[in-house]
Amino acid sequence: MQDSREKIIRYYKGTEGEQTAVKLVDFAAQALKNQKYKLSGFLTPFEQNMAETIANSLGNLKVEFDGGFVGAERQRAAFCHEDFEGTPVFEISAIKAEWNGEFARLSHGDILGSIMSLGVDREFIGDIIATKNFARIVVDKKIDDYFIANLTKIGNTAVKTSADELENILPKEERVKEIKATVASLRVDSIAAAGFGMSRSKAATEISAEKVKLNWQTVKNSSQSIKAGDILSMRGRGRLEVAEIRGQTKKGRIGVLLKRFF
């Protein structure tokens, strides 16, 4: 067990997932020891992949995920011992923050920023679904009452916060646009420029500002290579899937098929 733990931590050392890997390995170890299950906080898709890797590496474990509703991006992991015959309880609930949409336009970033200003760790917060007049926020059930008592403003806008039902959250409906393009190379700035409709220099600027993620990890270098199946996201512009790489044209450019999700 100790050797496997150290190998996993070494593998993620130096990445954005290093601290999460340590936590998840410890959670998995507790599930193995107790022969029951251990619940994580809310995880990004990249961290969910980490949880699956850890469960597969340590043996005698399986892992289940739940984000509170169908299509949730951020989900909690339950590491379950293979002899555990029960059903893990994910302890997820929803709260609703309402405001007057005639006088305020509040974005996902506004809402998340105000939540974080309350001193709440990100791992306690799942997806945030914002509309014109309200937002539904998926949370760890333990902090329901804290949110209802303390989330009274988002930015300078007064909000009314109350308990809600997860059943009120509809599955996400995303619009998808297929983009056929040719690029000079499979560098991340080239693909981002083609997919998000901007110049390559603008894409490089967004990357330098750490607004671009590749497979849910912040891109540090514009020259990083892209392959089929990769997911690119840019803050405020949505998400791209590299659906196909179609080979070179007669002029030496590379054909790609991208799917942009809004």
Side-chain angles (χ1 to χ4, degrees):
M1 169 67 188
Q2 185 63 26
D3 287 346
S4 296
R5 181 184 190 278
E6 290 176 358
K7 286 179 182 177
I8 293 166
I9 292 172
R10 277 201 306 271
Y11 180 78
Y12 289 106
K13 189 172 181 63
T15 72
E16 290 182 19
E18 182 176 354
Q19 292 184 343
T20 301
V22 174
K23 283 185 181 180
L24 293 179
V25 168
D26 288 342
F27 290 155
Q30 290 176 52
L32 284 172
K33 181 178 179 180
N34 298 329
Q35 297 191 351
K36 294 182 180 179
Y37 74 91
K38 180 66 178 178
L39 204 59
S40 76
F42 286 95
L43 305 174
T44 66
F46 171 66
E47 292 166 339
Q48 292 162 38
N49 289 337
M50 291 172 55
E52 289 184 326
T53 298
I54 289 166
N56 292 333
S57 298
L58 297 182
N60 300 321
L61 279 179
K62 59 182 179 179
V63 62
E64 299 180 18
F65 298 97
D66 194 334
F69 65 101
V70 176
E73 180 173 290
R74 293 177 61 83
Q75 300 192 38
R76 304 189 77 173
F79 290 100
C80 305
H81 193 279
E82 62 182 12
D83 294 333
F84 175 67
E85 297 181 352
T87 301
V89 179
F90 283 88
E91 299 177 12
I92 298 172
S93 58
I95 60 170
K96 186 177 184 180
E98 301 175 84
W99 60 86
N100 188 333
E102 295 298 321
F103 300 101
R105 294 287 186 271
L106 300 179
S107 68
H108 180 282
D110 295 328
I111 299 161
L112 180 59
S114 292
I115 290 172
M116 302 302 286
S117 71
L118 296 176
V120 178
D121 287 343
R122 188 69 174 97
E123 68 180 44
F124 291 103
I125 312 300
D127 282 8
I128 299 170
I129 301 92
T131 69
K132 178 182 176 181
N133 300 300
F134 66 87
R136 289 192 169 96
I137 306 163
V138 180
V139 299
D140 185 318
K141 188 170 287 188
K142 294 192 294 291
I143 59 173
D144 272 4
D145 292 341
Y146 180 79
F147 266 124
I148 292 169
N150 291 282
L151 187 61
T152 57
K153 293 183 74 175
I154 296 175
N156 295 318
T157 302
V159 299
K160 176 186 176 183
T161 307
S162 58
D164 203 350
E165 299 293 332
L166 289 169
E167 290 75 14
N168 291 333
I169 303 177
L170 298 176
K172 286 186 176 179
E173 293 185 11
E174 291 185 303
R175 292 183 294 121
V176 182
K177 177 183 179 182
E178 285 197 349
I179 301 168
K180 297 177 182 178
T182 61
V183 292
S185 72
L186 294 177
R187 288 168 48 120
V188 65
D189 54 357
S190 292
I191 298 295
F196 293 117
M198 61 179 63
S199 69
R200 186 166 162 178
S201 61
K202 173 64 175 175
T205 299
E206 298 291 272
I207 290 168
S208 297
E210 298 190 346
K211 294 182 179 180
V212 179
K213 292 190 175 185
L214 172 61
N215 298 328
W216 298 281
Q217 293 190 84
T218 302
V219 177
K220 302 294 186 182
N221 191 333
S222 292
S223 65
Q224 192 169 341
S225 293
I226 295 292
K227 64 183 184 302
D230 279 347
I231 303 293
L232 266 181
S233 59
M234 183 179 290
R235 193 183 308 162
R237 290 180 177 265
R239 189 173 81 252
L240 285 177
E241 177 189 347
V242 183
E244 291 181 35
I245 296 174
R246 294 178 161 177
Q248 287 193 342
T249 67
K250 292 180 180 179
K251 294 184 178 181
R253 293 176 65 84
I254 302 169
V256 293
L257 174 64
L258 310 174
K259 293 183 178 179
R260 185 173 176 182
F261 299 85
F262 298 86

